[in-house]
Amino acid sequence: LIRSVYMVAMIQTWGLATDANAMVSTVIGQGKRRLVGLAVRRVLTVSLSLSAVIALLLALLPRTVLELYTSGAKRLDPQTLELAVPGLMVVAAILMTLAAAGVLLQATTGTGATRFAFMLEVGLIGAYLGWVFLAVYVFKGGLTEVWMAEGVYFLLMAVGCGLYLRSGRWRTLQV
C-alpha cells in the first residue's frame, strides 16, 4: 500500500528529471554550457515545489490519503490503517530528497557523465542494501526503518551528483 502511494507521488519527479536530462543535453549541444546551471536550477525548483505540496498533503492527511487510496471493496481495517501511517510519514519526507536526486542524476547524465552516474548508482545500491541489512538483521527494525533506506539512497545521490555538477568536471567531457 505504501509503495503504491509512493509510486503515484513520484510521477512528477521522474517526468521533471527526464526534462532536466533533455534540457542539459540540449543546452550543451547548442554550445551554451554556461546555461547548464540555470537549466538545472529551474527544473530543480519546480520539482522541489511540486514534491513539497505532495509531501505536505501526505504528512497532514495521511489517513485520508490511505482511505482514498483503498476505498470501495479494498477498505482498510483501522489497525492496518494505523500501521501504515508511520511508513507514509517516511515517504513524505523522502519525496524532497527524491525530487533533488532525480533531477540532479538526470542532469548529470545529460552532461554525458554516464560512467560517473553509473558508478555512483552502483555504490549507492550497495549502501541501500547495507542499510536494509543493518535495519532488519542487526537493529531488528521494522518497515519504517527499512523505508528510510530510500531517503539515505536519494540523499547520497543528490549530494554526489550535486557535487559533480558543481565541480565542473563535466565541462571537459567529449561526447
Side-chain angles (χ1 to χ4, degrees):
L1 174 64
I2 295 168
R3 182 79 175 167
S4 296
V5 173
Y6 182 47
M7 289 291 130
V8 170
M10 68 167 54
I11 290 171
Q12 86 289 340
T13 295
W14 292 120
L16 288 163
T18 301
D19 289 343
N21 183 307
M23 289 175 72
V24 166
S25 61
T26 298
V27 166
I28 290 172
Q30 293 172 342
K32 300 176 183 175
R33 290 178 185 260
R34 69 188 185 287
L35 297 178
V36 166
L38 177 64
V40 172
R41 281 190 299 280
R42 286 184 176 173
V43 176
L44 196 52
T45 300
V46 174
S47 184
L48 287 169
S49 299
L50 288 173
S51 290
V53 170
I54 294 169
L56 278 172
L57 287 172
L58 294 177
L60 296 175
L61 305 166
R63 287 164 190 81
T64 304
V65 170
L66 291 168
E67 286 171 352
L68 286 172
Y69 204 81
T70 61
S71 62
K74 295 167 114 182
R75 206 55 155 166
L76 282 181
D77 64 89
Q79 184 180 10
T80 304
L81 181 68
E82 289 308 311
L83 289 172
V85 170
L88 199 58
M89 294 296 101
V90 173
V91 165
I94 290 169
L95 287 178
M96 299 306 290
T97 58
L98 167 63
V103 169
L104 293 172
L105 175 67
Q106 289 301 312
T108 299
T109 303
T111 67
T114 54
R115 179 170 287 140
F116 171 82
F118 175 73
M119 296 308 291
L120 180 65
E121 285 221 65
V122 167
L124 292 178
I125 289 169
Y128 185 103
L129 293 172
W131 177 284
V132 171
F133 179 84
L134 289 173
V136 172
Y137 295 108
V138 176
F139 298 112
K140 308 296 183 203
L143 191 57
T144 302
E145 290 79 15
V146 171
W147 266 102
M148 289 179 186
E150 291 277 313
V152 171
Y153 174 81
F154 287 124
L155 177 64
L156 294 175
M157 181 184 291
V159 169
C161 289
L163 289 173
Y164 180 83
L165 289 169
R166 186 165 279 212
S167 77
R169 285 187 287 156
W170 55 271
R171 293 178 190 275
T172 61
L173 292 175
Q174 296 297 319
V175 236

